[in-house]
Amino acid sequence: MQTSLIKTAHSPLIYEVQDFGVALTDACGRLVGEGAALAGFLGCLPPTIQKGLEVFGPDGFEEGDIILANEPYDTGTHISDTVLYMPVFFEGRLVAFTAIMAHWADIGAFAPGGWCPSTTDVHQEGLIFNHLKLYDAGRLNKEMLRLILRNVRTPEAVNGDLNGLIASCNTGAMRFQELCRRYGVETLNGAIEEIFENSEARMRREVSEIPDGVYHGEAYLDHDGVERSKRHRIAATVTIRGSEIEIDFDGSDPVARGPVNHPLVGTRALCATVLKCVTMPDDATNDGHLRVATVKAPRNSIVSPEYPAPCDSYGYVAELVEYVVLKALARAIPHRIPAPSYQMYAYHLVRTGESEHEPFICAEPVDGGGGAFPFDDGPSGIMFLGNGDAPNSPIEILEASYPVRFTRYTFNPENRGVGKYRGGFGVIRELMVTEDKAYLQVSTENNANPLWGLAGGGDAGRSKTVVTFPDGAEHTFDDRVGDVGPLEAGTLISMYTANGGGWGDPGDRDPMRIADDVVNGFFTAEEAAGSYGVDLGRIEEALRQRRSEMSEVKHAR
């Protein structure tokens, strides 16, 4: 399914960044298998299908149905991440569902491409599909499709991606039907049940090895986009009793006025993601892994909003949901928990409604630094943790698709999550706009309240955006912004993403690791000595040793 979608989608955000999740469930909507795209999406697909079973009833589906759903309180993220799911039949019997959640190029919101920065109502965030049949028994609802394409700014891209989603679900359905023919439905269902039970049993054994106790973590958002002077608290209490784990978000702030709210379906999915990461990361995820944790939250809070609360910039809280649970677990199993990575950063460069120019929406998350591990430095240049390490967009693809030219792409040594093990480096990604009348929107968070290091490590850094206009004027943004423009051709946009947090006392860092960073040009020996509190002489000795080793290798070649 995943390969089919990558080969048929029209938007780089899908076929390059892989901003989607694909899954197969049984006839009850329980997760059987998943693709390896965005981890945060995968736990949202089973509850979406289970809601569809409530809407239509188990007998309300026919072969050839294709259903669209994106109401955030059902699907777990925001309206732009539309779910397309398909019932799978074999010999007239409903046996499974195939499903995809993918970010659409546009969904008709007031901010092109989604991630509205300041909505106060879900209806401002785009078209809402409340489990609507795009195909009914194999018959396309042409009026519905015409309505969708008339209400988006890039209908060709949306229609192309939609057809790719349909092809992917069809691929999954055909493959599962082949399994039914080969083994029989009863044998297949029996195998699936056994996998569920074995995975749950193994998961419970792993949880039972975590010390019993009550552990707490909390964090703050800078603001919600509307009440910009107000911080918002996300708090989690993790209780371990034997093989049971409860995660309670009591103490989190009430629902925000701005669009940062994170639906409870998604909150539960991310808690399951965290728990699996720290217990059984290598297992193929299925429903058995999702049964162990109980996740609770107050009604209509920032992690459990109710209709019509805005959710379009949900991703900032999504990151913090995972980090506060990890922060709590770090008190129980510190040897397994990494420091936080950079908070997400993304931009939209768009042009719409200008009759003399072709419209476009260039949307891209930008990679940054990963948090340090308890045993090693954090990775550099990764995508944000909450949705998994998605690939970046190749510069060549973006330059071929949009009026932009990239002038710089390198690691950003400005921010340093120092520690015994340092956080990974963010990046500097710089582009020049080559045509007039584009507008810039930047999505970023936790610049006023940087994420923390662990066990004495330094905080993760801050991201920023620098816009240099053709006349030489320069403006720096250290917060999210929208509608910067219209930009003239020749405008330079420089994006600086933060590092990850450090782990451990910086004074305990191995001088040879510091020497490697100096040799690689991240900072000077003097800067390193100041940052890590390590004697400059020890660093210089390590540098001499490292350069000698490099020289020997060079001569040997």
Side-chain angles (χ1 to χ4, degrees):
M1 290 174 67
Q2 183 159 324
T3 300
S4 176
L5 180 56
I6 290 170
K7 289 182 178 294
T8 55
H10 282 216
S11 299
L13 196 60
I14 293 181
Y15 66 75
E16 290 292 350
V17 177
Q18 298 180 29
D19 192 352
F20 63 80
V22 302
L24 171 75
T25 78
D26 67 4
C28 300
R30 298 178 299 174
L31 183 65
V32 174
E34 61 178 9
L38 299 192
F41 285 7
L42 298 166
C44 297
L45 289 168
T48 301
I49 293 169
Q50 290 160 17
K51 181 65 176 181
L53 284 163
E54 290 180 22
V55 171
F56 295 105
D59 299 322
F61 297 100
E62 296 184 69
E63 190 160 9
D65 285 353
I66 296 176
I67 300 96
L68 293 178
N70 70 347
E71 192 161 356
Y73 327 102
D74 289 353
T75 58
T77 63
H78 62 168
I79 278 179
S80 293
D81 294 333
T82 296
V83 175
L84 184 148
Y85 63 95
M86 172 187 294
V88 180
F89 286 81
F90 182 73
E91 295 179 347
R93 174 181 174 182
L94 177 64
V95 292
F97 288 91
T98 54
I100 302 173
M101 173 183 279
H103 188 113
W104 282 22
D106 190 54
I107 198 67
F110 83 74
W115 281 91
C116 303
S118 57
T119 49
T120 56
D121 183 300
V122 70
H123 294 283
Q124 300 167 10
E125 298 175 345
L127 294 166
I128 299 175
F129 308 130
N130 186 17
H131 298 272
L132 304 178
K133 289 190 177 184
L134 179 64
Y135 279 79
D136 191 347
R139 294 184 298 275
L140 172 65
N141 185 334
K142 295 180 180 179
E143 284 69 29
M144 180 179 170
L145 179 61
R146 188 154 52 89
L147 173 70
I148 292 170
L149 298 182
R150 191 69 180 93
N151 281 277
V152 297
R153 298 168 177 88
T154 54
E156 182 178 351
V158 169
N159 193 42
D161 290 341
L162 182 56
N163 285 326
L165 298 172
I166 293 168
S168 177
C169 276
N170 272 320
T171 297
M174 289 187 293
R175 298 293 185 267
F176 194 76
Q177 288 164 342
E178 289 173 8
L179 289 174
C180 291
R181 274 189 291 273
R182 185 181 303 175
Y183 299 109
V185 173
E186 300 306 326
T187 298
L188 196 55
N189 284 341
I192 289 170
E193 289 292 343
E194 185 170 340
I195 289 170
F196 288 168
E197 292 169 7
N198 288 342
S199 297
E200 180 182 1
R202 292 179 60 203
M203 193 76 169
R204 291 192 180 279
R205 285 197 297 271
E206 292 288 337
V207 171
S208 67
E209 293 181 5
I210 302 174
D212 283 1
V214 179
Y215 309 101
H216 185 75
E218 64 180 56
Y220 289 86
L221 283 181
D222 293 345
H223 59 80
D224 67 7
V226 175
E227 296 180 296
R228 300 181 70 89
S229 62
K230 180 180 178 181
R231 296 196 310 169
H232 290 272
R233 182 173 184 250
I234 294 90
T237 300
V238 179
T239 303
I240 308 288
R241 298 188 190 92
S243 65
E244 299 286 338
I245 181 168
E246 178 185 276
I247 303 173
D248 191 344
F249 287 89
D250 187 34
S252 298
D253 276 358
V255 65
R257 284 191 61 206
V260 299
N261 300 294
H262 191 262
L264 184 57
V265 166
T267 299
R268 287 175 171 151
L270 291 180
C271 288
T273 300
V274 168
L275 186 58
K276 186 162 185 304
C277 284
V278 300
T279 55
M280 299 174 63
D282 297 325
D283 252 28
T285 309
N286 60 71
D287 184 76
H289 298 105
L290 309 179
R291 297 174 177 177
V292 176
T294 300
V295 180
K296 304 193 307 186
R299 283 196 59 185
N300 209 27
S301 75
I302 197 169
V303 295
S304 58
E306 298 177 356
Y307 173 85
C311 303
D312 207 41
S313 291
Y314 78 103
Y316 314 127
V317 173
E319 294 291 289
L320 293 186
V321 163
E322 293 200 319
Y323 290 138
V324 297
V325 174
L326 285 168
K327 190 177 188 179
L329 288 171
R331 306 179 193 281
I333 45 174
H335 59 289
R336 295 193 192 181
I337 307 300
S341 300
Y342 79 120
Q343 175 59 286
M344 72 160 292
Y345 181 106
Y347 72 92
H348 286 71
L349 191 64
V350 303
R351 182 174 62 208
T352 61
E354 304 283 356
S355 59
E356 70 270 34
H357 292 289
E358 182 180 351
F360 71 91
I361 300 174
C362 174
E364 180 190 19
V366 182
D367 38 345
F373 300 102
F375 51 83
D376 204 353
D377 292 346
S380 297
I382 66 163
M383 287 298 179
F384 41 93
L385 171 69
N387 280 333
D389 182 19
N392 65 355
S393 298
I395 285 169
E396 296 84 355
I397 295 294
L398 295 180
E399 289 184 339
S401 303
Y402 308 109
V404 297
R405 180 167 60 84
F406 284 82
T407 56
R408 192 180 184 196
Y409 187 31
T410 185
F411 286 128
N412 176 17
E414 279 189 9
N415 297 316
R416 302 168 194 153
V418 296
K420 179 179 181 180
Y421 302 109
R422 62 156 174 77
F425 292 107
V427 303
I428 303 171
R429 194 161 169 90
E430 187 174 85
L431 65 84
M432 180 178 289
V433 182
T434 59
E435 294 179 3
D436 292 341
K437 296 189 177 179
Y439 288 81
L440 174 68
Q441 175 182 309
V442 174
S443 303
T444 183
E445 239 299 329
N446 286 113
N447 293 315
N449 299 280
L451 302 182
W452 52 89
L454 288 178
D459 289 347
R462 296 171 169 86
S463 298
K464 67 179 180 180
T465 310
V466 180
V467 178
T468 306
F469 299 96
D471 63 2
E474 184 177 284
H475 197 109
T476 299
F477 302 94
D478 58 4
D479 196 358
R480 70 192 81 144
V481 293
D483 291 330
V484 178
L487 304 177
E488 297 178 11
T491 300
L492 197 66
I493 302 169
S494 305
M495 295 162 277
Y496 297 77
T497 64
N499 60 283
W503 199 100
D505 186 340
D508 293 336
R509 185 163 177 78
D510 182 350
M512 294 300 288
R513 286 182 178 266
I514 299 175
D516 285 338
D517 285 340
V518 174
V519 167
N520 285 317
F522 291 122
F523 36 66
T524 67
E526 291 76 13
E527 289 172 334
S531 296
Y532 288 99
V534 177
D535 181 77
L536 180 59
R538 292 180 64 201
I539 296 175
E540 289 176 338
E541 175 60 32
L543 273 169
R544 284 192 291 271
Q545 182 179 338
R546 181 62 78 217
R547 286 169 176 152
S548 175
E549 291 171 355
M550 293 169 66
S551 178
E552 290 175 5
V553 170
K554 181 179 179 181
H555 288 306
R557 287 176 178 169

